[in-house]
Amino acid sequence: MIKTLFITDNKNKYLKKNELINIKYITFNELLKELYFTYDEKTIYYLVNKYNMNVDIARIYLNNLIYLNEYYTDDKIDFLFNIKNELEKNNLLIKNKLFINSLKQYKIVLDNREYSRFEMNIINKLKEITDIEYYENNTNVYSNSIYKCKTSEEEVIFCINKIVSLIKDGISINDIYISNLNSSYRNLFKKYSYIFNLPINLNDNVSIYSTKIVQTFIKEYESNIVNTLNKIKEIINDKDTEKIYNHIVNIYNKYVWCKDYLLVKDLVIDELKNSKKESIKYTNAINEIDISEIVDVNKYVFLLGFNQNELPKIKKDEDYFNDYEKEKLGLFTSEEIKKNNINKYSRLIKSIKNLYITYKEYDDRGEVYISNINDILNYEIIDVDNNNYNNSNLYNNIELAKMYDEYYKYGTINTNMSVLANNYKNNQYLKYDNNYTNIDNSMLKEYLNNRLTLSYSSLDNYNRCNFRYYLNNVLHLNYFEETFMIFIGNVYHDILQKSFNDDFDFDTCWNNAILNRELTNKENFFLKKLKEELKFVIKTIKEQDIYTSYKSSLYEEKIDVLYGNNTFTGIIDKIKYDGDSLAIIDYKTGNPDINLYNSKYGIGMQLPIYLYLVKHHPKFKDYHIAGFYLQKILNNDGLLDSNEVIDTKKKNNLKLYGYSNSDIEVLKKLDSNYNDSKIIKGLKQSSKGFYQYSKVIDDLTINKLTKLIEDNVIDSFNKILNGKFDINPKKIGINNEGCKYCKFKDICFMKEKDLVLLKEYKNLDFLGGDEYANLD
């Protein structure tokens, strides 16, 4: 039995009609690839590295190679010919030599559309091999109306009300579609689908590139694939991040042929930028669809944005070939593409029986006009009346509040205001309840994949304000953006952990650390200064090591503390140790804050967190702590004019900020010069003991601090897993610590009553015992 090959850009419209026929579907672009060639990651990699071009340009060249012919040449065409010959010589173009003969067993059916001369040449050659016919589209022609709205919001409200009416009349929600949506329309549908309680599946196509796990992946990217994957695996904390992690693994697997993954970093990043998040889809819902994909012409379709430049969308002329070259090569010119699109959409629109078309008169830029497709359709235009208050109490209440606004601000009386006011006497105008509404615990645990990971920053967020944690660490609403200073901090940390290796070469490490970072002239200027500053930092730290007897160090030491399925995780920049004691040092690019007093409330616990982590390290759990410190590695003083900053001042800034053990026998292993320390800020001893300003602490206090942190971690795990996310910013004394640097003020609408007032401590007497009262 002869087979049928449909060559179509919309196979969906044939599927149901041809379910039992022995058929195959391919698009015309897929046909071209089978007849000519296709390419893979190796091909792109070759062009990117050989010609130093970016990935997008490489794809543009590759996608245009098939249009070459010997009848027309110029410099641009010759360049493509050279690339093509070079790729063929290196076996980098993938060809299916058996495909042309395989077509003999098929009857070919083509879409009944306009074809370019280039395409017609291919079709005529196929006619020499097998039979070809054109698919006859639906011959029924329907006439519909076009609804005129003031704004896109009015369009969406009109469509929503019509959809509700259809559902009330017995139309299945699965037979209703919305089409021609841009991001603005999608946002409006999200808003009003909630207000009218309508499930809608939208094609958001949000990139995964800006997610924390992908940004961490890019930051940690290195030649060794195992190291990179292990680092990002640590931050998987829900099903979404797990899916993204698996997607990253799949991308990596495409490049197993490459010995050094740094060589394909640009290609991997490009794939990540073009990878989309999976969105939750409802089983029974209204669906967004491209109007060209409508299969059943009896479905109910809402076509929005029927405006010039929106349907058909005006494509920027960014093609590799200009119109003159396209004409010579037998391709459609820009004007032909525009004309074909108008004809295509007019045919599609006339073929749909139940079609609601809307357009707007104004957008953010001013007045806009109806699509010129209507010059062909010549449909009746109807002004929209959105005074429909029969479908949503929530919508009605919102509209009433808007009418009150107009009345109280401008004295404008809406004719519907009195009717709505009589029906909604309990309207909460100028009233708002910002209280957090609890979520289902089982749903939360499923979302978190039955495991929770906390770190210092997430724990600090939770203790400052539970709702702040919820928005930032559960819903992930905080958009991650790597600033120049974050980038510099990462560079400094990366090089410092390598700077004490025997084979350390500063320039090599520096160049690798800043690789693939695009810098402005201003950033380049600062980078030169910062490079010299880092050299000084490394030199000074090595000088400080003269005073310590510790011979061993661990850098970027990751420590996980397990509580069932849950994990508290942290990374300590440096642990110096020997014998049975150690010192903890964490590098800071900002101003170090060593205040321990808010630890009582789980806030600002960075230094105590390091104690807690190291006490759970299998190697160090019984070690004495000689000290725990922050070290300021990036100093603004003298950055612009280092000649005015003497080395003494800079070295003083590099001293360790933190707390030292009061036990001399323990402390002197870390600092032999402890009586007037050259490496610890403010540490000095007289014949009567340490000066009052010296920050010294004993083993008992260290153990009590560690226990305090552990209790807080366990308590936070329990509260988070039980969905405790109230708006409760902590105010300690006169300082609102909960809202400090919070980016979510426009979401929580925090009120004075939400503040949790806490006692301010200026010593450690909350640990118990008067012996801590004078520790500053």
Side-chain angles (χ1 to χ4, degrees):
M1 185 177 82
I2 192 164
K3 301 176 183 178
T4 303
L5 176 65
F6 277 91
I7 301 175
T8 173
D9 292 330
N10 182 16
K11 68 181 181 182
N12 289 330
K13 70 181 179 183
Y14 303 117
L15 285 175
K16 290 191 175 179
K17 298 178 181 180
N18 302 287
E19 284 174 344
L20 303 178
I21 301 176
N22 191 2
I23 58 176
K24 181 180 179 181
Y25 300 94
I26 62 171
T27 66
F28 207 95
N29 281 336
E30 289 169 342
L31 173 70
L32 293 179
K33 291 176 182 178
E34 296 289 354
L35 290 173
Y36 291 93
F37 60 82
T38 185
Y39 57 87
D40 61 12
E41 292 77 18
K42 290 182 182 178
T43 320
I44 299 173
Y45 171 75
Y46 180 86
L47 291 180
V48 167
N49 284 274
K50 175 70 183 290
Y51 294 96
N52 196 28
M53 61 179 68
N54 67 39
V55 177
D56 288 335
I57 296 298
R59 284 206 181 95
I60 289 172
Y61 288 153
L62 288 167
N63 291 334
N64 283 283
L65 291 183
I66 61 171
Y67 302 122
L68 303 180
N69 64 58
E70 281 88 10
Y71 306 108
Y72 168 68
T73 62
D74 62 13
D75 290 343
K76 189 184 291 185
I77 303 295
D78 290 342
F79 173 68
L80 288 185
F81 264 121
N82 291 334
I83 286 180
K84 183 180 178 183
N85 292 334
E86 193 173 339
L87 293 174
E88 286 181 330
K89 181 179 177 181
N90 288 280
N91 296 317
L92 290 169
L93 296 180
I94 304 167
K95 298 185 179 183
N96 185 353
K97 296 180 181 179
L98 302 176
F99 179 75
I100 192 73
N101 284 327
S102 71
L103 292 178
K104 294 177 182 178
Q105 61 183 310
Y106 290 99
K107 177 183 76 173
I108 294 177
V109 178
L110 290 163
D111 273 333
N112 193 8
R113 65 168 176 84
E114 293 87 356
Y115 290 92
S116 67
R117 283 189 294 110
F118 174 82
E119 292 171 324
M120 283 305 304
N121 287 336
I122 293 171
I123 293 170
N124 290 332
K125 289 178 182 177
L126 294 179
K127 285 180 180 178
E128 299 173 3
I129 299 171
T130 188
D131 293 332
I132 291 182
E133 63 182 49
Y134 291 91
Y135 181 81
E136 288 299 324
N137 292 319
N138 175 37
T139 55
N140 292 329
V141 175
Y142 303 99
S143 180
N144 291 286
S145 300
I146 300 174
Y147 296 90
K148 179 172 68 174
C149 304
K150 291 292 183 186
T151 64
S152 56
E153 188 162 18
E154 281 195 12
E155 285 184 83
V156 173
I157 294 169
F158 167 77
C159 291
I160 289 280
N161 275 310
K162 280 288 183 185
I163 288 170
V164 173
S165 297
L166 289 173
I167 294 172
K168 286 181 177 179
D169 289 340
I171 304 300
S172 170
I173 194 171
N174 295 314
D175 290 336
I176 301 173
Y177 297 89
I178 49 180
S179 187
N180 196 41
L181 305 186
N182 57 27
S183 59
S184 176
Y185 282 113
R186 288 191 188 97
N187 288 333
L188 287 168
F189 267 109
K190 287 176 186 176
K191 171 183 173 181
Y192 284 103
S193 65
Y194 170 77
I195 291 173
F196 283 80
N197 196 26
L198 285 174
I200 297 180
N201 292 324
L202 297 170
N203 303 329
D204 281 314
N205 294 326
V206 178
S207 172
I208 66 173
Y209 183 72
S210 62
T211 59
K212 181 179 179 181
I213 187 170
V214 171
Q215 289 298 313
T216 304
F217 161 76
I218 294 170
K219 184 182 84 171
E220 300 292 349
Y221 196 106
E222 59 177 279
S223 300
N224 189 316
I225 179 175
V226 177
N227 289 347
T228 307
L229 292 177
N230 283 341
K231 287 177 181 176
I232 62 168
K233 195 172 185 178
E234 295 163 359
I235 60 173
I236 295 175
N237 56 12
D238 55 38
K239 288 185 176 181
D240 288 342
T241 49
E242 188 170 27
K243 286 179 181 177
I244 295 173
Y245 170 81
N246 291 332
H247 184 72
I248 293 171
V249 172
N250 290 336
I251 291 175
Y252 256 136
N253 288 336
K254 295 181 182 179
Y255 300 94
V256 290
W257 45 268
C258 187
K259 294 180 181 179
D260 184 351
Y261 275 82
L262 280 175
L263 298 175
V264 293
K265 183 176 181 179
D266 287 346
L267 279 72
V268 173
I269 290 176
D270 180 75
E271 287 208 48
L272 289 169
K273 286 181 178 178
N274 291 289
S275 300
K276 308 301 179 184
K277 284 184 182 178
E278 286 186 23
S279 55
I280 298 172
K281 296 293 184 183
Y282 300 105
T283 303
N284 297 305
I286 302 152
N287 286 284
E288 180 185 353
I289 194 171
D290 190 297
I291 191 172
S292 63
E293 295 176 359
I294 297 295
V295 177
D296 187 343
V297 296
N298 293 307
K299 299 293 185 183
Y300 290 80
V301 182
F302 290 81
L303 180 67
L304 293 90
F306 191 68
N307 288 86
Q308 284 187 30
N309 299 337
E310 290 189 42
L311 194 76
K313 286 184 169 52
I314 299 300
K315 177 178 171 288
K316 288 184 179 179
D317 190 7
E318 296 174 340
D319 293 335
Y320 181 71
F321 297 119
N322 59 37
D323 279 346
Y324 174 80
E325 292 161 342
K326 287 177 183 176
E327 189 174 357
K328 291 293 184 182
L329 293 169
L331 305 175
F332 285 131
T333 64
S334 302
E335 280 303 312
E336 287 171 331
I337 292 171
K338 181 179 177 182
K339 180 181 176 182
N340 291 342
N341 278 334
I342 290 174
N343 291 331
K344 167 189 169 183
Y345 282 109
S346 64
R347 287 196 302 269
L348 286 168
I349 288 170
K350 287 188 286 186
S351 72
I352 301 173
K353 182 179 179 181
N354 304 303
L355 181 64
Y356 298 86
I357 307 171
T358 65
Y359 80 99
K360 57 186 170 291
E361 293 184 283
Y362 301 95
D363 65 10
D364 294 339
R365 297 163 295 179
E367 189 174 4
V368 290
Y369 305 99
I370 192 170
S371 170
N372 49 11
I373 296 175
N374 200 42
D375 294 342
I376 298 173
L377 299 174
N378 197 28
Y379 282 177
E380 178 189 8
I381 298 174
I382 301 173
D383 286 326
V384 160
D385 177 9
N386 267 340
N387 293 322
N388 184 340
Y389 302 106
N390 300 315
N391 297 319
S392 169
N393 288 321
L394 178 57
Y395 173 76
N396 296 347
N397 271 296
I398 293 171
E399 288 301 297
L400 177 57
K402 289 179 182 177
M403 294 173 192
Y404 282 147
D405 273 346
E406 291 290 319
Y407 174 71
Y408 287 118
K409 290 180 180 178
Y410 310 110
T412 305
I413 300 176
N414 188 296
T415 54
N416 296 305
M417 186 169 72
S418 59
V419 176
L420 288 175
N422 286 330
N423 282 277
Y424 296 98
K425 295 179 179 178
N426 293 323
N427 182 275
Q428 298 294 303
Y429 182 68
L430 293 183
K431 298 175 183 177
Y432 175 68
D433 182 6
N434 71 324
N435 287 332
Y436 166 74
T437 303
N438 290 337
I439 59 177
D440 184 81
N441 282 0
S442 59
M443 289 180 62
L444 174 64
K445 289 175 182 177
E446 182 182 357
Y447 175 73
L448 295 173
N449 210 14
N450 284 316
R451 63 185 179 196
L452 177 61
T453 300
L454 288 177
S455 63
Y456 160 69
S457 58
S458 60
L459 184 66
D460 191 65
N461 265 337
Y462 188 74
N463 288 321
R464 287 179 186 273
C465 175
N466 296 174
F467 193 66
R468 174 174 174 169
Y469 170 88
Y470 177 64
L471 297 178
N472 190 82
N473 300 91
V474 177
L475 299 184
H476 306 295
L477 299 185
N478 188 15
Y479 177 78
F480 177 85
E481 182 178 6
E482 185 182 72
T483 63
F484 179 65
M485 291 312 297
I486 292 174
F487 165 69
I488 288 300
N490 292 334
V491 170
Y492 269 46
H493 276 77
D494 180 60
I495 294 175
L496 278 167
Q497 70 165 310
K498 300 170 182 174
S499 61
F500 300 96
N501 296 337
D502 293 337
D503 59 350
F504 173 69
D505 179 77
F506 182 89
D507 289 328
T508 300
C509 286
W510 178 268
N511 292 333
N512 288 337
I514 66 171
L515 193 67
N516 296 322
R517 169 79 184 196
E518 295 182 8
L519 298 163
T520 64
N521 291 336
K522 181 180 179 181
E523 288 171 344
N524 265 316
F525 169 77
F526 280 112
L527 204 59
K528 291 176 182 177
K529 298 280 186 182
L530 291 165
K531 182 179 181 181
E532 296 307 311
E533 287 293 315
L534 182 54
K535 286 181 180 178
F536 183 86
V537 169
I538 294 171
K539 175 176 173 289
T540 302
I541 292 175
K542 288 181 177 180
E543 290 173 357
Q544 290 175 347
D545 282 347
I546 296 171
Y547 299 99
T548 181
S549 63
Y550 290 148
K551 303 301 180 186
S552 301
S553 298
L554 292 177
Y555 300 97
E556 296 289 321
E557 183 69 2
K558 183 178 182 296
I559 303 172
D560 289 334
V561 185
L562 302 179
Y563 297 95
N565 290 333
N566 307 313
T567 307
F568 189 92
T569 187
I571 296 175
I572 301 177
D573 289 335
K574 182 162 63 176
I575 302 174
K576 297 182 71 65
Y577 66 96
D578 205 8
D580 63 349
S581 67
L582 61 83
I584 301 166
I585 300 170
D586 193 72
Y587 301 129
K588 298 294 290 184
T589 52
N591 291 318
D593 180 7
I594 60 172
N595 179 9
L596 299 179
Y597 310 134
N598 290 341
S599 300
K600 162 75 174 174
Y601 309 114
I603 295 172
M605 301 187 298
Q606 188 164 18
L607 279 174
I609 284 288
Y610 296 137
L611 290 177
Y612 159 78
L613 288 171
V614 85
K615 287 289 187 180
H616 284 83
H617 193 291
K619 181 180 179 66
F620 301 123
K621 59 183 179 179
D622 295 322
Y623 273 51
H624 293 288
I625 308 295
F628 47 106
Y629 309 96
L630 300 176
Q631 186 167 33
K632 187 178 179 182
I633 57 172
L634 185 57
N635 293 287
N636 294 327
D637 294 338
L639 187 57
L640 294 176
D641 190 358
S642 60
N643 291 329
E644 296 181 7
V645 182
I646 58 174
D647 285 356
T648 303
K649 182 177 179 181
K650 291 166 70 175
K651 287 181 179 181
N652 189 55
N653 284 336
L654 282 165
K655 285 184 176 182
L656 304 177
Y657 293 75
Y659 295 84
S660 305
N661 199 312
S662 58
D663 187 332
I664 301 301
E665 294 304 313
V666 175
L667 180 58
K668 69 181 182 182
K669 295 178 183 178
L670 167 66
D671 183 6
S672 61
N673 191 239
Y674 65 87
N675 56 333
D676 190 8
S677 181
K678 291 182 173 57
I679 65 173
I680 301 170
K681 191 83 168 179
L683 184 63
K684 192 171 183 179
Q685 188 183 41
S686 70
S687 58
K688 297 179 181 179
F690 287 105
Y691 281 87
Q692 190 173 1
Y693 55 75
S694 296
K695 296 188 178 342
V696 290
I697 193 168
D698 61 20
D699 285 335
L700 179 61
T701 308
I702 289 173
N703 291 333
K704 286 190 174 185
L705 269 174
T706 306
K707 180 66 168 58
L708 178 73
I709 303 306
E710 176 130 43
D711 290 345
N712 188 276
V713 168
I714 294 171
D715 184 56
S716 298
F717 270 124
N718 291 332
K719 287 179 178 177
I720 291 169
L721 291 170
N722 283 297
K724 302 296 183 184
F725 301 122
D726 293 323
I727 299 170
N728 57 1
K730 311 305 187 299
K731 186 175 182 181
I732 302 175
I734 62 171
N735 298 314
N736 184 343
E737 299 291 346
C739 298
K740 187 185 291 184
Y741 310 123
C742 182
K743 299 179 180 180
F744 305 114
K745 294 177 183 178
D746 292 337
I747 298 177
C748 79
F749 293 95
M750 188 274 294
K751 300 176 181 178
E752 197 71 24
K753 68 176 180 62
D754 298 318
L755 285 169
V756 178
L757 306 180
L758 300 173
K759 175 183 175 182
E760 181 180 15
Y761 286 93
K762 296 186 178 180
N763 50 53
L764 295 179
D765 59 6
F766 57 82
L767 292 175
D770 293 336
E771 63 267 33
Y772 312 117
N774 296 320
L775 180 59
D776 293 322

